Every structure is written in C-alpha cells, then in structure tokens.
C-alpha cells in the first residue's frame, strides 16, 4: 500500500473501532433496554471494518503487482540497452569477421526481447480484464532459456521459392531466401532476418553467406537442368562497398562453374541510391559472369538500354504495377517490345490471387508468389555430394 493511502486507511479503520467502543459503552451504561441500538451499531461497525480490511488486502495486492511490473520494465530496459550495445559493436565489425553464430546470437536476443515484451503486454491486458486477482504478470513471463537451448543451436536455413513459367506452369528458376531456425525448429522468416541484418550492419556478411549456401545447391540443380538459375538477394550495403563487392566476385571466381546460374537481385530503390562506385561494382559483377535482376520495379522512368549495359537481365514487378484492376496499362505493349529486343525477361512477383496470376500471364513470362508455391526448405547437406565430386575431379 502506498504511503499517501496509509493515513486514509488508518482513519477509516478508526471509525468502526470507535463505534464498537460506543456500542460497548451504551450496553454498560444504559442497560438492556438499549441492547438493540448497541447491537445495530456493533453490526454496522463490523461491516465497515470488514469492508476496510478487504480494501486494504486489495490495495496491498495491487501494490505488489505494480512493483512486479516495475521490476519487469527495469529488466526489459536493461536487456534492450545491452542488445543495443551489442548491435552497436557489431556495426563496427567488418563483413568477414561477422560469423553466422554472431548473427544467430543477435537475432536470438531480439526474438527473446520481443517475446518478453509480448508476454508483458498480454499479462497487462489480462489484468485489465480480470483485475489484480488474476495470476500475477510475473508468472506469465517467458521462462529462462534451458541450458541446452540457450546458445549454439540456431542456424541459418536456405529456402528456395519457385519461379514459374507462366505459359507452361512449370518451375523454371528459384529465388533464394534465408530463415533462422531456433532450437525448437521454429523458423524466423526471410524478411525479418533481412531487416535485422540491415539494421545491425551485417547485411554484407549475410549476403556472402547466402552465396556460399546457394553455390552447392545450384550446382546440383544445374546438373539436372543447365538452364536453371537461382535469384540471390543482395543488399545496398554489399553493392555500394568496394571491399564487399570484391569478396562477392571472389566467391564467383571460386565457384565459376555455377556463376552463370546466379542472378543477383536487388531493389530498384537501392539502384537509385548507389553512387558511381556502386554502379561500377555492378558492372564488374556482370563482367565476372553474374547476371543482375531488379525487383520492386515500376514502369515509369526505366532506361532499359542503361540497365542492359550494367548487366540487368530480369525485371520483377509487383502485381499492382502490371494491373491495378483496370487491365494492363497501355504502355505495357511498347515496354514488352523493347524488353524482348534487349533480351530482358519480365517477372511478376508476390502473386497471391488468381486474378493477379491471370494479369501476370498477359504481361510477363515468369511469376512467383504464394499463389504458385511457397518457399521450400533446403536440407543442410544438399549439394555436398556434387561439391565433393567436383573437388575430387579437380584433384
């Protein structure tokens, strides 16, 4: 109970106690004829005393709940400050020094922090509905991680999303995605992993890791279908940094037999923010055998000849850019003719409905999205046998 409520409660307690004393005095001084009045005063004072006692107990539990919430908030604040410090440290690390374990550790801490915030919010909502009599919020907090599950059990997982030929409905290519699998097998999605990597300054390290993961899988896939390609997302931080781009090209030279099958995919917005050095890095990637693709493209303001010159061979549009509901834009016919003349393929991505798929088939050759097929998880040992055979042949 708070300090400013203590005098109030003491005052409320004094009144029924005084009434009990008055009732006893009436009985002693006035005799049996005032027994009924004394009994009524005694009953009323006992009810008031009981009510005050219940109120004191409720206030005491409410104060305990508030103290638990303050402790929880202080703990969350300490954890968030610690995580911010770790992220700041990681931002100053170079891409080649950031390991998968460090990336997984930071992502795990972010996930635990989000879970504790979610549990705190849920417990607070429960208290609003049920009052302090409900289970204390501290009991609803996430349990501490078990010794065998706290560290070293999370790993990056490669996923492949089919890119479908809209004319035949068959899978022609794949898009590489990455997830983070925790100790219980729960998968953190590609978009969340990419967002945290961008915010933590670890996107170059993640991009290089993805290239290493894709190479053996792509080698096995191209043994079956030599024309198959895998689209690998690349961030602006990787494209705009000469050293990171050089590491990317070194990986392409190391895996030269699959370099032709990799398509480095980046957003049109990222292309517009690159400086001259970043554009040169793109051209160097193309000269080293890499194919480039733009995603999240809009029709207006595209210079197809310039894109062709820096190595762009695929353009991926969102569904609403192709058809916003009134049919394909009139400029699509001219655009499609220019794209075919420059051997640039058009893709419609993130297709979710049959209507979007129908519109995409009229404007593009390829499509991908939930309507066609979800991303498929790749086994960790996929492609190892093909890589071992290649190494043995080279020896």
């Amino acid at each position: 109970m708070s300090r400013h409520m203590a005098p109030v409660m003491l005052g409320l307690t004094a009144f029924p106690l005084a009434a009990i004393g008055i009732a006893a005095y009436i009985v002693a001084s006035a005799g049996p004829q005032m027994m009924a009045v004394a009994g009524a005063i005694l009953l009323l004072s006992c009810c008031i005393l009981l009510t005050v006692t219940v109120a004191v107990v409720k206030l005491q539990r409410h104060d305990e709940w508030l103290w638990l919430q303050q402790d929880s908030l202080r703990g969350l604040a300490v954890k968030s400050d610690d995580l911010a410090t770790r992220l700041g440290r990681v931002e100053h690390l170079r891409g080649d020094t950031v390991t998968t374990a460090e990336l997984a550790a930071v992502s795990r801490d972010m996930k635990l922090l989000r879970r504790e915030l979610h549990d705190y919010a849920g417990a607070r909502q429960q208290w609003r509905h049920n009052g302090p009599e409900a289970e204390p919020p501290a009991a609803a907090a996430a349990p501490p991680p078990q010794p065998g599950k706290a560290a070293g059990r999370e790993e990056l997982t490669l996923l492949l999303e089919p890119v479908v030929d809209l004319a035949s409905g068959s899978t022609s290519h794949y898009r590489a995605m990455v997830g983070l699998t925790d100790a219980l097998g729960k998968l953190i999605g590609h978009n969340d992993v990419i967002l945290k990597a961008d915010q933590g300054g670890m996107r170059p390290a993640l991009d290089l890791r993805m290239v290493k993961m894709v190479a053996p899988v792509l080698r096995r896939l191209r043994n079956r279908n030599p024309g198959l390609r895998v689209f690998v997302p690349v961030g602006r931080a990787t494209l705009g940094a000469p050293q990171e781009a050089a590491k990317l090209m070194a990986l392409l030279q190391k895996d030269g037999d699959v370099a032709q099958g990799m398509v480095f995919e980046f957003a049109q917005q990222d292309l517009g923010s690159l400086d001259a050095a970043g554009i040169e890095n793109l051209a160097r990637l193309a000269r080293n055998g890499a194919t480039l693709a733009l995603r999240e493209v809009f029709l207006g303001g595209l210079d197809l000849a310039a894109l062709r010159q820096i190595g762009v061979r695929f353009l991926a549009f969102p569904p609403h850019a192709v058809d916003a509901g009134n049919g394909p834009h009139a400029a699509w016919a001219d655009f499609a003719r220019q794209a075919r003349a420059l051997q640039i393929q058009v893709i419609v991505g993130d297709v979710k409905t049959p209507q979007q798929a129908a519109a995409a088939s009229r404007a593009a050759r390829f499509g991908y999205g939930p309507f066609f097929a979800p991303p498929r998880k790749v086994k960790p040992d996929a492609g190892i046998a093909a890589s071992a055979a290649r190494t043995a042949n080279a020896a």
Side-chain angles (χ1 to χ4, degrees), residues 166-167 322 348 351 354-367 372:
L166 295 175
V322 176
V348 177
V351 177
Q355 293 78 11
Q356 292 176 345
S361 64
R362 294 191 296 266
R365 179 178 178 182
F366 301 109
F372 300 110

Side-chain angles (χ1 to χ4, degrees), residues 299 304 330-344 346 362-363:
L299 190 59
L304 293 180
W332 267 104
D334 183 61
F335 169 79
R337 178 183 58 79
Q338 295 182 38
R340 285 195 299 267
L342 294 172
Q343 297 182 340
I344 295 178
V346 178
R362 294 191 296 266

Side-chain angles (χ1 to χ4, degrees), residues 106-302:
V106 174
S107 179
R108 179 177 62 252
D109 290 343
M110 291 294 294
K111 181 178 64 176
L112 291 175
L113 183 60
R114 286 197 304 268
R115 183 190 304 166
E116 292 188 14
L117 287 171
H118 178 270
D119 291 338
Y120 167 74
R124 183 180 179 184
Q125 188 69 21
Q126 179 185 5
W127 179 84
R128 286 181 176 178
H129 288 294
N130 302 330
E133 293 82 0
E135 185 179 1
Q146 299 299 321
K149 302 179 181 179
R153 297 292 301 275
E154 294 188 346
E155 60 180 6
L156 289 174
T157 301
L158 179 65
L159 301 98
L160 293 180
E161 181 179 27
V163 178
V164 176
D165 187 313
L166 295 175
S168 63
S170 60
T171 298
S172 296
H173 309 294
Y174 288 99
R175 294 180 69 241
M177 307 175 75
V178 67
L180 190 64
T181 306
D182 63 15
L184 300 178
K186 183 179 178 181
L187 187 68
I188 302 175
H190 172 81
N191 292 335
D192 290 336
V193 175
I194 293 295
L195 177 61
K196 297 306 177 184
D198 283 330
Q199 293 176 346
M202 295 181 291
R203 183 60 188 275
L206 180 60
D207 290 344
L208 295 175
R209 175 64 177 166
M210 286 189 66
V211 171
K212 294 178 182 178
M213 296 170 70
V214 166
V217 179
L218 177 58
R219 182 174 293 112
R220 186 193 65 179
L221 293 173
R222 284 175 68 87
N223 285 337
R224 303 175 182 175
N225 180 6
L228 184 142
R229 297 172 181 265
V230 173
F231 293 75
V232 182
V234 180
R236 180 175 56 185
T238 307
L239 295 173
Q243 294 182 351
E244 308 304 337
K247 294 173 186 175
L248 197 58
M249 285 181 277
L251 289 178
L252 290 179
Q253 293 173 356
K254 178 182 177 183
D255 296 302
D257 59 319
V258 295
Q260 296 290 337
M262 284 196 187
V263 181
F264 291 104
E265 178 188 80
F266 52 97
Q268 183 179 6
Q269 183 179 359
D270 291 341
L271 177 64
S273 61
L274 289 176
D275 55 13
I279 298 297
E280 176 59 25
N281 288 335
L282 290 178
R284 291 173 60 194
L285 282 172
R287 289 195 297 268
N288 279 270
T291 305
L292 304 179
L294 276 185
R295 68 174 181 271
E296 302 169 17
V297 180
F298 290 90
L299 190 59
L302 283 178

